[in-house]
């Protein structure tokens, strides 16, 4: 993967703004440690940082369609992996296109020269890219169908700034980091269901998944090129499991393509285990070495686990069962509390916003260890959204609730807002409106009623509001260490097929994700296939909590702490004094999650010099 950034201005000549474009590009060096470059013209400037994965020698960017002595028709800065680039390359060659490199980047460029703004419809992959069409002076900003790769922008009167991460836009001297009422609502009321397209900072937006932003002197408009379509599912259970297996096998095999070391992330759940098993089979068939696998754990976690609906079992025994079964070379990354504490600042800088604290820090430390051996990792992310595996899919009251089901019965950090801030932000109204908007976007199936209709709505809420922050977290934390994480369960063909599988078939055998389990049953040990859903692990040690509690006491004593411009100091003081957990942005139980969140908000406001509007 890579980092992209750039600037379009209809009034200023950008050829003299190399220093600014270089500064924006340099903020993304962690995303692309292997190479970097810029391209400038009067109206447009593009920057790129490269993580070399395919065609290590020939994939330098920004990429133009012409040689050095010719004026280009198009210039591309691309972040992503195209899994059908070989087929597309052959098709484009048959249409008369000649290629100068072996990279998938050039395939994307020439797809645009052939099909224009319709090019993304031909792509299978994860990507976010910027293409400047010099022929008509138009900038296209494109994001993949599920939003695996991020892309932010700031539009102003005479132009537009963009970047893979907010930090690239923040590096521009004319953009100010500010938080308005909508941003406060996103941060405190909807951290687990963010609004599509909202970039948190005032004036910053995000290209929505499955959309193209078309930027010309006359207008800036967003065009949707992909959406789910509801239709009757005609396959029986046997045909459905066979089709899932076929799609998943093809997807994994496509995503094994790499010119650098590759591994899988293995938690011992059915999702990551299925990816690992399919990868191991493909590598063995093609005569490659054993697949490398990685898992994360904490000291003392085996005896400290207290099962709940989100964390049912300890990962390690199931991980080992898969390792033994497929014969992978496994590394168990054990994360002590002191390392978690040390990683908090790196994670904040990676995400450009307050995140999920300890959960982010441990993922960062896992990815850092993975990166020592591999440049690419395959993950089981998104299977629970696609096949309905989370607890809220199976909790009657949560499904029936007139809100995002994962927020049912939960208090969000918005409960801590000061009265004057609450009056301006109106978090309950904001949440209710966002829920109505999300619900209205569900592709309905004619004639579907009652429970089936509601579960289709919940599935769409999961894909459109729950999945995006998880994908964003994985992208930011992995790219902070120069690791590319691929997500086979986000292949749009698999998502489209699974979308219309009836709920009773998805829950085949009255088991969450039953149809997925049956489709891979022959690949894995029975205890792994039948293992109940168990979420990302959390540290059982008390030191992390003790240190954060001490830091909160220090914060409460600081009269200038910026977080208390937003949050009621006395509410926080009373909760900390009484030992009550503060409301957390996370859905899974975590006694320190709320504490972590407030501390991060304060650290973020200070580090990014965020103004409040």
């Amino acid at each position: 993967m890579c980092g992209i950034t750039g600037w379009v201005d209809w009034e200023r000549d950008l050829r003299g703004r190399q220093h600014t474009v270089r500064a924006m590009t340099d903020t993304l060096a962690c995303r692309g440690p292997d190479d970097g470059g810029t391209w400038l013209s009067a109206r447009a400037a593009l920057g790129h940082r490269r993580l070399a994965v395919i065609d290590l020698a020939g994939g330098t960017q920004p990429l133009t369609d012409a040689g050095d002595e010719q004026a280009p028709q198009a210039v591309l800065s691309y972040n992503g992996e195209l899994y059908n680039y070989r087929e597309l390359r052959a098709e484009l060659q048959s249409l008369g296109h000649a290629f100068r490199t072996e990279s998938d980047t050039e395939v994307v460029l020439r797809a645009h020269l052939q099909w224009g703004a319709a090019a993304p419809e031909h792509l299978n992959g994860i990507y976010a890219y910027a293409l400047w069409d010099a022929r008509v002076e138009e900038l296209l900003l494109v994001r993949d169908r599920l939003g695996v790769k991020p892309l932010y922008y700031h539009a102003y009167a005479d132009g537009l700034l963009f970047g893979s991460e907010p930090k690239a836009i923040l590096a521009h001297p004319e953009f100010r980091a500010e938080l308005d009422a909508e941003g406060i609502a996103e941060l405190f009321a909807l951290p687990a269901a963010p609004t599509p397209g909202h970039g948190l900072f005032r004036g910053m937006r995000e290209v929505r998944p499955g959309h193209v932003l078309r930027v010309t002197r006359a207008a800036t408009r967003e065009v949707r090129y992909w959406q789910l379509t509801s239709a009757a599912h005609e396959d029986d259970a046997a045909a459905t499991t066979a089709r899932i297996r076929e799609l998943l096998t093809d997807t994994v095999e496509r995503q094994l393509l790499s010119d650098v070391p590759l591994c899988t992330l293995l938690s011992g759940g059915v999702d990551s285990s299925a990816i690992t098993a399919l990868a191991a089979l493909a590598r063995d068939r093609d005569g490659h070495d054993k697949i490398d696998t990685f898992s994360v754990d904490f000291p003392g976690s085996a005896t400290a686990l207290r099962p709940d609906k989100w964390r049912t079992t300890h990962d390690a025994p199931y991980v080992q069962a898969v390792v033994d079964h497929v014969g992978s070379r496994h590394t168990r990354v054990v994360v002590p509390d002191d390392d978690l504490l040390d990683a908090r600042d790196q994670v904040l800088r990676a995400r450009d916003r307050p995140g999920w604290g300890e959960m982010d820090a441990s993922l960062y430390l896992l990815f850092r260890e993975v990166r020592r051996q591999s440049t690419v990792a395959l993950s089981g992310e998104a299977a629970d959204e696609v096949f309905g595996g989370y607890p809220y899919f199976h909790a009657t009251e949560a499904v029936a609730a007139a809100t995002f089901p994962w927020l049912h019965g939960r208090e969000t950090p918005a409960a801590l807002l000061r009265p004057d801030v609450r009056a301006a932000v109106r978090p309950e109204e904001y949440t209710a409106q966002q829920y109505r908007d999300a619900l209205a976007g569900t592709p309905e199936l004619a004639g579907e009623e009652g429970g089936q209709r509601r579960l289709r709505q919940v599935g769409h809420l999961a894909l459109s509001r729950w999945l995006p922050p998880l994908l964003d977290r994985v992208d930011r934390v992995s790219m902070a260490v120069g690791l590319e994480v691929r997500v086979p369960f986000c292949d749009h063909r698999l998502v489209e097929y699974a979308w219309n599988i009836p709920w009773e078939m998805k829950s085949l055998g009255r088991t969450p994700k039953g149809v997925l389990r049956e489709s891979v049953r022959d690949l894995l040990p029975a205890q792994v296939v039948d293992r109940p859903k168990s979420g990302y692990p959390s540290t059982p040690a008390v030191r992390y909590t003790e240190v954060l509690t001490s830091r909160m006491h220090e914060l409460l004593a600081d009269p200038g702490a910026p977080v208390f411009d937003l949050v009621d100091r006395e509410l926080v003081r009373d909760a900390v004094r009484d030992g009550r957990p503060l409301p957390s942005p996370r859905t899974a139980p975590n006694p320190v999650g709320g504490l972590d969140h407030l501390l991060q908000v304060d650290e973020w406001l200070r580090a990014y010099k965020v103004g409040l509007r």
Side-chain angles (χ1 to χ4, degrees), residues 216-527:
T216 65
R217 182 185 288 270
T220 296
R221 58 193 178 96
E222 198 170 30
V223 180
R224 189 171 196 166
Y225 71 88
W226 180 81
Q227 61 184 330
L228 288 168
T229 302
S230 293
H233 184 76
E234 304 294 344
D235 293 344
D236 62 15
T240 299
T241 57
R243 180 58 177 158
I244 291 170
R245 175 65 167 271
E246 178 186 10
L247 286 168
L248 195 56
T249 299
D250 180 69
T251 298
V252 169
E253 291 182 356
R254 288 176 181 271
Q255 297 192 19
L256 289 175
L257 184 64
S258 173
D259 293 335
V260 293
L262 178 146
C263 69
T264 70
L265 305 174
L266 179 61
S267 70
V270 66
D271 313 330
S272 64
S273 299
I275 299 300
T276 298
L278 288 169
L281 281 174
R283 287 177 66 89
D284 182 65
R285 180 199 63 209
D286 295 338
H288 295 302
D289 291 341
K290 294 179 179 179
I291 189 76
D292 289 299
T293 53
F294 290 83
S295 64
V296 67
D297 207 347
F298 303 92
S301 60
T303 57
L305 179 68
R306 299 292 180 268
D308 56 43
K309 64 181 180 180
W310 285 94
R311 296 187 189 92
T312 56
T313 48
H314 184 228
D315 286 349
Y318 299 93
V319 169
Q320 191 59 51
V322 176
V323 169
D324 293 341
H325 189 75
V326 305
S328 68
R329 294 179 303 213
H330 185 68
T331 301
R332 175 173 168 257
V333 180
V334 180
V335 178
D337 271 20
D338 283 348
D339 288 359
L340 287 174
L341 291 162
D342 291 342
R344 291 179 79 253
D345 183 62
Q346 292 99 309
V347 169
L348 180 64
R349 296 289 182 173
R351 298 200 66 176
D352 291 327
R353 62 174 294 162
W356 297 343
E358 167 248 320
M359 186 177 178
D360 291 345
S362 63
L363 192 68
Y364 172 85
L365 294 168
L366 168 64
F367 287 164
R368 190 177 68 181
E369 290 303 309
V370 172
R371 185 61 175 89
R372 298 184 196 280
Q373 300 181 45
S374 295
T375 307
V376 176
L378 272 62
S379 166
E381 202 78 59
D384 287 302
E385 290 82 0
V386 173
F387 290 99
Y390 285 114
Y392 58 76
F393 279 100
H394 307 275
T396 303
E397 291 184 359
V399 168
T403 188
F404 298 102
W406 51 90
L407 295 183
H408 171 66
R410 291 187 62 249
E411 190 176 49
T412 69
L416 300 174
L417 291 174
R418 287 170 30 163
D420 57 326
V421 177
R422 173 177 286 277
V425 173
R426 300 180 179 179
E428 291 82 8
E429 293 180 25
Y430 185 82
T431 300
Q433 183 59 54
Q434 289 304 316
Y435 173 69
R436 289 192 293 270
D437 291 348
L439 210 60
T442 306
E444 301 282 2
L445 178 62
E448 193 170 55
E449 297 178 350
Q452 290 292 329
R453 179 172 182 268
R454 177 56 181 166
L455 284 165
R456 185 180 292 275
Q457 292 174 341
V458 171
H460 194 259
L461 292 174
L463 288 169
S464 64
R465 296 301 183 101
W466 173 275
L467 180 60
L470 296 181
L471 294 176
D472 181 75
R473 165 181 175 256
V474 170
D475 172 84
R476 299 297 188 80
V477 178
S478 62
M479 294 310 299
V481 298
L483 176 71
E484 175 188 313
V485 175
R486 299 176 178 177
V487 277
F489 284 105
C490 282
D491 184 283
H492 70 276
R493 301 167 303 160
L494 179 62
V495 174
E496 289 169 350
Y497 184 75
W499 169 248
N500 286 308
I501 299 174
W503 183 252
E504 62 271 15
M505 194 179 292
K506 280 186 180 175
S507 303
L508 202 62
R510 298 185 177 180
T511 303
K513 296 186 296 188
V515 71
L516 173 61
R517 296 176 193 274
E518 289 307 311
S519 72
V520 297
R521 183 168 291 279
D522 62 310
L523 294 175
L524 297 165
Q527 70 265 35

Side-chain angles (χ1 to χ4, degrees), residues 511-556:
T511 303
K513 296 186 296 188
V515 71
L516 173 61
R517 296 176 193 274
E518 289 307 311
S519 72
V520 297
R521 183 168 291 279
D522 62 310
L523 294 175
L524 297 165
Q527 70 265 35
V528 174
V529 174
D530 296 323
R531 183 190 180 191
K533 168 67 182 174
S534 195
Y536 187 85
S538 181
T539 178
V542 298
R543 174 164 166 73
Y544 190 82
T545 303
E546 291 173 346
V547 171
L548 292 196
T549 302
S550 175
R551 291 180 183 178
M552 180 55 75
H553 281 298
E554 295 173 4
L555 194 63
L556 287 164

